[in-house]
Amino acid sequence: MKDLKFEQKSSLSRLEAADQLSALAEALRQGGEVELEFGSGTLSLQVPDELRTEIEVEVGEGEIELELELKWPTVRTAATPSRAKRPARGKGSAARAS
């Protein structure tokens, strides 16, 4: 069972959809705690610096479906280094056991 699930379905104009995506993009740029307005409510989220993403496009039955998923853990883990801190490894530089 999920701790929380928020789902909203509505019809939007192309410009309204663009406004929602722009608000989401600005919230992601700011990071930390972000607030997104959906209809008459506000959704507050704590967004970390690193996210996992998944983009899915389905075409069929006379319509196109585009899904964008952003995922991150609810608890920060100190053991997970950020990509910027990982040493670069070129081809053939894999560690070998003796």
Side-chain angles (χ1 to χ4, degrees):
M1 184 164 99
K2 297 189 185 283
D3 293 334
L4 170 71
K5 182 175 181 175
F6 171 84
E7 187 172 302
Q8 180 183 33
K9 295 182 181 185
S10 61
S11 293
L12 301 174
S13 71
R14 186 186 50 179
L15 293 176
E16 290 169 327
D19 288 343
Q20 274 194 350
L21 291 172
S22 293
L24 176 59
E26 184 58 33
L28 289 171
R29 274 187 201 89
Q30 291 175 6
E33 186 165 331
V34 299
E35 291 187 350
L36 300 170
E37 293 184 25
F38 290 102
S40 62
T42 302
L43 180 63
S44 296
L45 298 169
Q46 189 70 30
V47 180
D49 291 337
E50 296 283 329
L51 308 170
R52 294 185 320 271
T53 65
E54 181 180 328
I55 298 174
E56 184 178 323
V57 178
E58 293 181 26
V59 180
E61 298 183 20
E63 65 181 18
I64 297 172
E65 181 177 332
L66 170 66
E67 292 184 21
L68 170 64
E69 283 189 18
L70 304 174
K71 295 182 182 183
W72 61 90
T74 56
V75 178
R76 291 185 183 175
T77 57
T80 306
S82 73
R83 288 185 182 147
K85 295 179 184 175
R86 291 182 189 149
R89 294 170 71 161
K91 291 182 180 177
S93 65
R96 293 189 175 113
S98 300

